[in-house]
Amino acid sequence: MRVGVVTRMGGTARRGAVVPVVAVVLVGVLAGCTADEPTVGQPPSPTVTVEPTPTPTPTPAPTAEGPMDRSDAELGITFTNLPEVTGDLRAALDAYTLFEVEYRRSLTSGGVTPELELLAAPEIVETVRNTVENIRTAGNVVGGTTTLDLRDVQGGSGAAIVEACLDERDSTLTSASGEAQTGAERGLQPIRIRADLSQGPTGWMVASQEVGGSC
């Protein structure tokens, strides 16, 4: 059993200055004259007012239209080649990548996250829970980096299919004794994933997954 990759549905594998302007009044005062009595032949100095500089209107930042890149170096998950899709397909893909993020968080934290329970069918959640418990019971720690290369997303009428290539060769598994091995050292190779998603009242969720075959 590949630690770090759960048994997916249909296959066997484991796997978020403006500077104030002050009006300057220039008053010419000569020796021997009072403020109320300007010098004969010399008009009072005019008042000079400097107009404030207008503050420019900020330009709104452009809104991204493509799918979200949820790569998280600290968590240890990277997504590559996200398809440029919009609308429902983007929403489905965003739900899938969020599922993978929460799956990874569950593996590394030692407990299934509440978010994952909302993003997958009960059977998938239970499989993840069993994998997490096995890792915790053995005293193992999951680390390193998992990479998911998104290959395709298709669908319509409330259903979508996401295909990806899972690469865990840079992931690590540290035993209770402190011995660490990479996925490559454990013989892991990139493996194909197909996730079927459905759209329900609360949004998109992973209904099933198939894992198997090289990619």
Side-chain angles (χ1 to χ4, degrees):
M1 183 176 185
R2 292 183 177 182
V3 177
V5 183
V6 300
T7 303
R8 309 279 181 156
M9 299 298 294
T12 303
R14 282 169 306 173
R15 280 230 332 141
V18 175
V19 177
V21 178
V22 179
V24 180
V25 179
L26 301 177
V27 179
V29 180
L30 300 179
C33 298
T34 66
D36 297 325
E37 297 177 354
T39 304
V40 177
Q42 182 177 342
S45 300
T47 299
V48 179
T49 303
V50 180
E51 294 295 331
T53 303
T55 302
T57 302
T59 303
T63 302
E65 295 181 356
M68 295 179 63
D69 184 355
R70 301 185 191 275
S71 299
D72 188 330
E74 184 175 350
L75 182 60
I77 187 167
T78 299
F79 296 96
T80 58
N81 295 322
L82 288 162
E84 289 297 326
V85 290
T86 59
D88 285 346
L89 288 183
R90 174 195 168 176
L93 184 58
D94 284 344
Y96 173 71
T97 56
L98 183 57
F99 162 77
E100 290 290 354
V101 165
E102 294 304 322
Y103 170 58
R104 175 71 179 178
R105 198 186 311 279
S106 299
L107 289 180
T108 58
S109 67
V112 173
T113 67
E115 290 80 6
L116 186 134
E117 295 184 351
L118 299 176
L119 290 164
E123 298 88 345
I124 297 178
V125 174
E126 191 61 27
T127 300
V128 176
R129 194 185 313 279
N130 291 336
T131 300
V132 170
E133 290 179 355
N134 289 337
I135 293 172
R136 185 175 59 242
T137 300
N140 296 326
V141 177
V142 175
T145 301
T146 289
T147 299
L148 280 144
D149 185 58
L150 281 301
R151 299 296 179 85
D152 191 23
V153 56
Q154 299 180 13
S157 301
I161 298 172
V162 177
E163 294 190 0
C165 182
L166 173 68
D167 188 349
E168 293 190 307
R169 289 175 294 181
D170 291 331
S171 66
T172 60
L173 181 67
T174 304
S175 66
S177 64
E179 180 184 0
Q181 283 187 312
T182 65
E185 291 171 336
R186 301 198 312 276
L188 301 187
Q189 294 296 323
I191 190 169
R192 174 183 169 274
I193 291 178
R194 167 183 161 145
D196 289 81
L197 291 92
S198 60
Q199 188 176 24
T202 59
W204 289 91
M205 67 180 297
V206 179
S208 66
Q209 279 196 318
E210 295 179 2
V211 179
S214 60
C215 56

